[in-house]
Amino acid sequence: MWDPAQYLAFADHRARPFYELVARVGASEPRRVVDVGCGPGNLTLSLSSRWPSAVIEAFDSSSEMVEAARAAGVDARVDEVMTWEPLPDTDVVVSNAVLQWVPSHPSIVEKWASALPSGAWLAFQVPGNYADASHRLIREVAGSGLAHVFRAEKPVLAPVEYAELLAVCSSVDVWETTYVQRLSGPDPVLEWVSGTALRPVRAALSSSDWEAYVAELAPRLREAYPERADGTTWFPFRRIFAVAQV
């Protein structure tokens, strides 16, 4: 289950990649703009501001997120990335930190690129930090007994692999950025991953087992990401971006 409040706890940090992604989309007057995996809808609203004449289509697989998006004023619906197909008037597709949850997403990206009309834009970004201490420790503490909750050891491709997927498009722009985020509060890295990477672990454990898991994980994260003298913590976060015009 997704918790919109937990996800929005770091709204500023999660929003910056979205804005930097969408800034590279060159569409001027798109007919339909789709937010694939709209989450709580706070970022979807900016798509309406940028393209006021476009139909904004938004969906998410989480009913909790869709409920939050609707409360924010977004006409969102529950739908699945695996089965969604763009309508003929779709000129922009945006997916922000969603495709890493879908093991088959490379083939889906190829399918979308083939289905979109000529001149349409496809833009997505995914986390690229699965080899970092944050995610490595999550898997180590979980152990073999919870191996089934992790969808893949390598949930995303390398940047050049995404470029190759989109090579059929007329233009392709793929890049990566590491944001060195300054987090604050007690166990800030644990709080960060609780809104995303730890969700499947939490769902698989009883309340008592979850408490034991967190009790073991928290000090290891504190060691990997030490608190500075001023009480803040540096948290490097790599992201991979891809923008293509069909």
Side-chain angles (χ1 to χ4, degrees):
M1 178 183 296
W2 279 94
D3 182 347
Q6 180 73 46
Y7 186 83
L8 288 170
F10 297 95
D12 289 345
H13 290 303
R14 300 193 195 281
R16 182 179 171 185
F18 174 88
Y19 291 125
E20 294 182 2
L21 175 73
V22 175
R24 303 294 280 270
V25 176
S28 55
E29 295 184 1
R31 295 165 295 175
R32 178 180 297 272
V33 176
V34 184
D35 190 352
V36 175
C38 62
N42 56 311
L43 298 176
T44 312
L45 293 171
S46 69
L47 300 177
S48 298
S49 299
R50 176 167 176 187
W51 294 298
S53 64
V55 173
I56 305 299
E57 179 182 344
F59 68 89
D60 199 285
S61 62
S62 164
S63 58
E64 293 82 11
M65 287 294 197
V66 167
E67 182 178 351
R70 289 174 177 169
V74 176
D75 184 18
R77 70 178 190 276
V78 175
D79 205 343
E80 294 290 341
V81 172
M82 292 82 74
T83 56
W84 175 79
E85 295 182 359
L87 292 173
D89 64 345
T90 302
D91 291 325
V92 176
V93 175
V94 176
S95 180
N96 184 59
V98 173
L99 296 179
Q100 73 274 12
W101 296 104
V102 184
S104 61
H105 78 261
S107 62
I108 291 173
V109 167
E110 289 183 303
K111 182 179 72 173
W112 291 347
S114 297
L116 289 169
S118 178
W121 293 81
L122 171 58
F124 62 88
Q125 70 90 4
V126 291
N129 62 334
Y130 291 96
D132 291 353
S134 56
H135 286 65
R136 175 173 50 79
L137 291 172
I138 287 173
R139 296 191 295 268
E140 287 180 4
V141 175
S144 60
L146 287 175
H148 63 283
V149 307
F150 302 108
R151 300 193 177 196
E153 185 70 21
K154 184 186 175 185
V156 301
L157 303 183
V160 70
E161 292 176 303
Y162 284 121
E164 187 61 34
L165 284 181
L166 297 167
V168 297
C169 297
S170 63
S171 68
V172 181
D173 185 10
V174 179
W175 73 98
E176 57 183 300
T177 299
T178 297
Y179 299 93
V180 182
Q181 300 174 165
R182 196 172 199 168
L183 306 183
S184 60
D187 291 319
V189 176
L190 176 64
E191 287 298 310
W192 174 278
V193 296
S194 291
T196 52
L198 279 178
R199 289 191 316 104
V201 179
R202 179 64 185 93
L205 296 176
S206 66
S207 295
S208 59
D209 287 342
W210 169 249
E211 291 176 5
Y213 176 84
V214 170
E216 183 177 351
L217 178 63
R220 298 180 68 173
L221 287 174
R222 287 195 294 269
E223 181 180 3
Y225 303 95
E227 184 179 78
R228 301 175 65 250
D230 66 357
T232 63
T233 301
W234 295 122
F235 181 48
F237 199 113
R238 173 176 171 256
R239 293 186 182 265
I240 301 168
F241 299 78
V243 176
Q245 186 175 23
V246 176

